[in-house]
Amino acid sequence: MNAAETRELEASIEQMYEVARGFGLNFYTMRFELVPADVLYTFGAYAGMPTRFSHWSFGKSYHRMKLDYDFGLSRIYELVINSDPCYAFLLDSNSLVQNKLVSAHVLAHCDFFKNNALFAFTQRNVVDSMAASAERFRGYELEHGRMAVEEFLDAALAIQEHIDPSRTGRRKLLADTRDMDGYGAVSGFDTRGRKVAPSLHGTSASSSVGPYDDLFDLDRRLGGSHDAGAAKGAGAPGVEPPGSARMEKDLLLFLIHHSPVMTEWQRDILTVIREEMLYFWPQIETKIMNEGWATYWHLRIMRELELTDAESLDFAQTHSGVVLPSRTSINPYLIGVKMWEDIERRYDNPTEEERKRCGRAPGQGRAQMFEVRETDSDSSFVRNYLTRDLVEELDLYLYQKVGNEWRVVEQDWEKVRDKICASRVNGGYPVLYVKDGDYLSAGELYLWHSYEGMELDAKYTEKTLPHVQRLWGRTVHLETVLEGRPVLFTHDGKKITRKFL
Amino acid sequence: MFTLSQDDWSLHRKGQQDQARHQEKVREAIRRNLSDLISEESIIMTDGRQVVKVPIRSLDEYRFRYNYNKSQQAGQGGGESAIGDVVARDPAAAPKPGQGDGAGDQPGLDYYEAEVSVDEIQSILFADLELPYLEQKAPENVVIPDVTFTDVRKKGLQSNIDKKRTILETLKRNARHGEPGLHHIAPDDLRYRTWEDIQKPHSQAVVLAMMDTSGSMGTFEKYIARTFFFWMVRFLRTKYEHVDIQFIAHHTEAKVVTETEFFTKGESGGTICSSAYQLALDVIATQFPPSSYNIYPVHFSDGDNLTSDNDRCVSLVEELMGTCNVFGYGEVNQYNRSSTLMSAYRHVRSPHFRTAIIREKGEVYKALRTFFTAEQPSAAGGERG
């Protein structure tokens, strides 16, 4: 990109602004920044955040991404940060048309950030707050030594996904920071992590009175037969698992409040990791929607621009590179854009049956899209809108390891849809709960994996538990299921044991 | 409403800094795994020049995750896929669902593979190996060329400029002319550091590599012995400019062979170790007089010697020790059985006689350290974490 091209890009972004507004997209003020490849890849490695703290694992992914780029294996075209104003980084080695495409893509991302319900709680000044935490972490390194901070970060990052991103989970942070002085109790646990009976007063009152209590009572009155069904569905975030009045999904928060060994600076680091994960979480949970949305709109916006033949070709090539299907995974750009286009088509031209039974008026495609963009997340998006026609048209399948090969094993559209949907639940991470912070009355930590047919990787589990143990300071247990049998992994600080229950 | 800017990012080094830390950790991991790495087949079987991929498990970022080998994943076909189609094959990068960024077409990695050049492993491995009890023998042709910066001159290479002396000259000259201070560096002020070639005399050494190639040396035994000698040869060639290596292969009788033959020779016949020792003595007598050579015989066997030969072995070893700096005997003993030769050697007590038993691949490193460290390693062995 030379100076003339930069000026032209500026002009066409202005044009795209108008086009996007005309389509009804609503985004924050944009800050576009042209950066060289190694800077873009640095940001990419730090999960898109230029100001994030330092850790060797980011260096590792930076190295890999940069290597792939240098060898021409893959490239990042753009990075966009969910913040207000919204920062977008463009690669200065992109061609002009590529950067136009990317700018259009980014506008749609920003519209998604601003309007999707999951993002309503994300911090919008994250660039500054991350810079501030990085600065504090550097201070800790000077004060306590680089190794100490690095080892703690190793442990904290190993469990960073185990937060409670639900509405109530997010609020806990706010509620609890108010009485943070004494590291006040998390609902259901006293300050030392022991279980307490829910009382009508205090923080755990939320479980006792609510607007939908009459509906829950209905379940209870219908009796045991429904409990089995409820137990089967347990494990989704927010659903109380069986066998316990209350379990804490937010492992990080639990450790922040109750770990007997952590010092002040360590709690600070863990708090930062948790907040950053809460910030990233909506992006994890809307990957297919968000990328699909941005791809859908960059196509529409680019079609409104005047391009020369050569530019059109360049655009078409770049676009088809983005929506390249993969035999071993789901390309969120491709699946996403196809699903959005399908929604538009079906709601523009509802079938006779849909008109009669659902009262759908024709021509509601865009309206429906904007509603979905506001209210859904990947799991509901896939469950509701990945239709039989789409699964068949896109030739989606499930594959599995058979001997030494990975083979296609399932093509039934409902199974495929359900599997993709399940893989998006909880961001694709296993769901763990803190079942007891005073197990065996010895202050041991008991974690419980909400097993839903997908086994944990035993090797990884055995390597991760020591990290939890380091954060908790005493013996930790994890209950899960292997080969259909419940099993308890235990790490006591020295060795790991596995016992079937 | 929007801005488009382009800044100077040339001082942005964050990614590189953390990458450097990562590479530091990789090196640490290599150091920790050295005993496993050096018996890595991919290294021994190569010509020793190329970069090898080494699994570094300790640099994985572990977390609680699903076992993808046991569950189903979604993928996308070209329109005509059918049940039973092969999507991918195993060892070549097992496919994992692309999580996180990118288009998700990147197969996940089962373990992190560090690209390590053999040189890099070598530099770590050889850092604390040396020929023990090396003595100054008749200074024949063992020299190490070296340079020392000893002189400062007015003419020299621009890159060797001596800034401190140059500035001193400037200050002095300015003071002489009554305008003290640092200004106007004249060509006459320039001073350059200059080096001299020196020849460091160095002791010369010969290593007699003896290997049992009898029928009882199975695949594992052969592999271990070759691994050991592979590193030994590389170690000697890297560290010492003038070290002779003689290769002796033996079964019931011994022969001096070339390096290629030594590493590729097939095995057959019984075992009479004394034949190799006798040949070693002969070689020493004819080619390497102990007066001008440091001599290091190293013998590898499975210990399955002809019983009646053991006494002769002990007496020959003792004779060899009279002329040698260190005699090394390595025994590949996978099943930990008692070997006749080793029990005979148990009575040889001398800091110059070193033995190592290798039961598994990882112990090759221990053997190298046992044979090639300056002091007699304390007690059971010199394995270090």
Side-chain angles (χ1 to χ4, degrees), chain A residues 1-17:
Chain A
M1 298 274 299
N2 54 35
E5 286 180 322
T6 308
R7 272 196 302 280
E8 199 189 326
L9 179 62
E10 202 160 0
S12 75
I13 290 177
E14 206 163 328
Q15 201 186 338
M16 283 191 253
Y17 242 65

Side-chain angles (χ1 to χ4, degrees), chain A residues 46 52 161 329 405-407, chain B residues 14 18 63 84 87 89 104:
Chain A
Y46 293 74
R52 225 177 163 197
E161 300 92 5
S329 64
E405 289 165 340
W406 301 75
R407 284 177 183 278
Chain B
K14 190 167 174 173
D18 280 345
R63 51 201 58 221
V87 176
R89 273 172 231 281

Side-chain angles (χ1 to χ4, degrees), chain B residues 242-264:
Chain B
H242 288 277
V243 177
D244 275 305
I245 306 171
Q246 290 287 315
F247 297 96
I248 298 175
H250 78 91
H251 34 94
T252 52
E253 38 189 84
K255 248 201 298 190
V256 175
V257 295
T258 63
E259 183 177 346
T260 337
E261 282 172 345
F262 186 77
F263 285 114
T264 51

